[in-house]
Amino acid sequence: MCPHCEDFARTVEMLAALALYSHVDGADIAFIDAMGPSLVASLPAPPPGTFPPGYNPDDGPQYPGQG
């Protein structure tokens, strides 16, 4: 596995664990609010082959309210 693939998979796993924790009774919302964006910001570039060639996440349909 490439080094970036391992980092990406580990970070996605932590995001999934945080999402599960957010549904636990008594979950610390301040912790979730701090860690969620931090984990997302630390995501490395997706491993090669995750998206098809030429994929552009900004390319898509116009949604209501978008100019």
Side-chain angles (χ1 to χ4, degrees):
M1 181 180 274
C2 69
H4 295 292
C5 296
E6 187 177 335
D7 291 343
F8 184 81
R10 186 180 312 118
T11 306
V12 169
E13 185 177 333
M14 287 189 286
L15 279 167
L18 186 65
L20 287 173
Y21 172 67
S22 71
H23 293 284
V24 171
D25 287 338
D28 184 348
I29 301 303
F31 174 78
I32 295 165
D33 288 346
M35 291 307 299
S38 299
L39 284 171
V40 170
S42 71
L43 273 172
T50 302
F51 298 108
Y55 174 78
N56 181 357
D58 297 324
D59 187 25
Q62 290 290 319
Y63 292 96
Q66 286 184 336

